[in-house]
């Protein structure tokens, strides 16, 4: 849909200005994809000195072509290093491409999910995660076109309900930032995060500006492809939502978990796409406020 002649033309303006809770937030970031575990060890050892407000880890690839032994060893080293991060420092993990079901099950059930606070992922990673752990809609072989919002919501709910923090579970996971090309959803366990409406809007906004290599949203260079209406669940009686261009972030709640949805203004002719998922999650985290527990 062309924005210049539609009621959505001012969507970029409706997102801003967005207020970040901490102007001087100190965030440490490390890319796990370089494979040099000694660099990760140095990174972790430096945290005690610099005392960051948040740690962001990205690039945890587990692809075909790597031996299972190497993948297991790498995963164990990553988990050990994550466990050495000082207590009380929130950790965000940005998932990367994975094709090993066994290792994904290990990540979900045993090793990674319990020790990270926040998770970022796209539609392929979300569905693969559900398939690996027999979650909702795991019978799907792949998404057909735009991922169905209700199905995505069901899987996000399941992850946080079954593997996130609760009174009966020793897990730190309380937040998931899901991003696909045409929309984003932030899901959080209630009581742990604030300012998520601004956070999801900020992530969607940077998706449009970075892909088009512009400072602000240029309505002539982006299009709207997100669904106008959707159901919030396919596994229970979810509500039917119509997105309002004057209030582009939609919020709903389900058993102690809050969801924040916003459309993305998709760049028609993208210039920069490498690292876009990391940029989306980083921007969302910058605008997020975590409540100390």
């Amino acid at each position: 849909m062309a924005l210049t002649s539609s009621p959505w033309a001012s969507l970029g303006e409706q997102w801003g200005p967005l207020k970040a809770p901490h102007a001087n937030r100190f965030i440490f970031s490390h890319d796990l994809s370089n494979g040099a575990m000694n660099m990760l060890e140095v990174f972790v050892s430096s945290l005690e000195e610099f005392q960051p407000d948040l740690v962001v880890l990205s690039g945890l690839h587990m692809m075909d072509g790597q031996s299972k032994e190497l993948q297991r060893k790498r995963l164990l080293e990553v988990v050990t290093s994550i466990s050495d991060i000082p207590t009380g420092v929130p950790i965000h993990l940005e998932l990367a491409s994975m094709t090993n079901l066994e290792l994904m099950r290990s990540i979900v059930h045993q090793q990674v999910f319990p020790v990270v606070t926040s998770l970022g992922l796209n539609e392929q990673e979300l569905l693969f995660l559900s398939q690996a752990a027999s979650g909702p809609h795991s019978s799907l072989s792949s998404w057909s076109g735009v991922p169905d919002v209700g199905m995505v919501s069901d899987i996000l709910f399941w992850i946080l309900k079954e593997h996130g923090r609760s009174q009966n579970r020793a897990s730190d996971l309380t937040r998931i930032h899901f991003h696909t090309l045409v929309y984003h959803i932030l899901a959080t366990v209630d009581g742990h995060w604030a300012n998520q409406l601004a956070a999801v809007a900020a992530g969607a906004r940077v998706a449009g500006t970075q892909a088009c290599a512009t400072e602000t949203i240029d309505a002539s260079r982006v299009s709207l492809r997100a669904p106008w209406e959707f159901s919030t669940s396919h596994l229970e009686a979810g509500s039917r939502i119509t997105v309002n261009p004057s209030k582009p972030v939609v919020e709903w709640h389900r058993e102690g978990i809050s969801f924040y949805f916003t459309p993305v203004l998709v760049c028609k002719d993208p210039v920069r796409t490498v690292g876009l998922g990391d940029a989306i999650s980083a921007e969302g985290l910058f605008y997020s406020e975590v409540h100390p527990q």
Side-chain angles (χ1 to χ4, degrees):
M1 177 193 300
L3 294 189
T4 51
S5 59
S6 79
W8 294 86
S10 63
L11 181 55
E13 298 170 9
Q14 297 296 336
W15 278 328
L18 303 174
K19 184 178 180 182
H22 303 293
N24 297 319
R25 171 168 287 178
F26 190 20
I27 298 176
F28 257 36
S29 179
H30 182 77
D31 185 357
L32 299 169
S33 64
N34 57 34
M37 295 313 301
N38 61 320
M39 292 179 64
L40 178 57
E41 291 168 7
V42 171
F43 169 79
V44 171
S45 65
S46 69
L47 298 178
E48 199 72 53
E49 177 184 354
F50 291 100
Q51 299 182 341
D53 298 296
L54 180 71
V55 168
V56 178
L57 301 174
S58 61
L60 183 57
H61 294 274
M62 298 290 173
M63 298 293 292
D64 291 331
Q66 298 174 334
S67 70
K68 289 188 176 181
E69 226 174 280
L70 175 64
Q71 290 180 340
R72 286 196 191 94
K73 181 182 177 184
R74 183 155 184 264
L75 181 59
L76 182 60
E77 290 174 328
V78 169
V79 171
T80 302
S81 295
I82 290 176
S83 301
D84 289 339
I85 291 174
T87 303
V89 178
I91 304 167
H92 173 85
L93 174 67
E94 191 70 20
L95 283 185
S97 301
M98 297 207 176
T99 56
N100 187 316
L101 283 169
E102 182 185 341
L103 280 175
M104 181 58 94
R105 288 189 198 102
S106 180
I107 287 171
V108 174
H109 290 299
Q110 304 168 23
Q111 304 193 51
V112 176
F113 276 21
V115 295
V116 299
T117 319
S118 176
L119 193 65
L121 73 180
N122 65 22
E123 68 272 26
Q124 284 86 16
E125 293 145 8
L126 183 76
L127 184 57
F128 187 68
L129 190 159
S130 187
Q131 292 167 341
S134 301
H137 312 297
S138 56
S139 60
L140 284 176
S141 58
S142 62
W143 299 107
S144 178
V146 174
D148 183 279
V149 176
M151 290 183 175
V152 169
S153 173
D154 287 335
I155 301 174
L156 295 175
F157 175 81
W158 164 76
I159 295 171
L160 289 176
K161 206 68 179 174
E162 295 298 320
H163 304 284
R165 178 178 289 184
S166 70
Q167 291 181 341
N168 304 317
R169 189 181 303 110
S171 171
D172 288 335
L173 183 62
T174 52
R175 179 184 184 272
I176 305 174
H177 195 162
F178 169 81
H179 41 81
T180 187
L181 179 66
V182 301
Y183 70 84
H184 297 170
I185 297 177
L186 253 174
T188 60
V189 178
D190 290 350
H192 297 275
W193 296 84
N195 211 43
Q196 295 305 280
L197 188 149
V200 74
R205 185 172 62 184
V206 82
T209 56
Q210 178 158 314
C212 281
T214 56
E215 290 296 322
T216 58
I217 294 290
D218 182 346
S220 68
R221 297 183 60 185
V222 295
S223 63
L224 185 77
R225 307 180 200 171
W228 292 56
E229 291 185 282
F230 56 85
S231 173
T232 59
S233 175
H234 288 284
L235 297 181
E236 61 174 37
S239 56
R240 189 78 185 168
I241 286 179
T242 301
V243 182
N244 182 345
S246 65
K247 192 179 179 183
V249 179
V250 179
E251 180 179 351
W252 69 92
H253 306 273
R254 182 175 170 186
E255 296 180 31
I257 294 172
S258 295
F259 296 83
Y260 305 87
F261 167 99
T262 193
V264 173
L265 298 178
V266 182
C267 186
K268 297 174 185 176
D269 298 301
V271 178
R272 294 189 318 215
T273 57
V274 175
L276 194 54
D278 291 348
I280 290 165
S281 288
E283 192 76 356
L285 287 164
F286 179 74
Y287 282 86
S288 293
E289 184 174 2
V290 61
H291 293 161
Q293 300 296 315

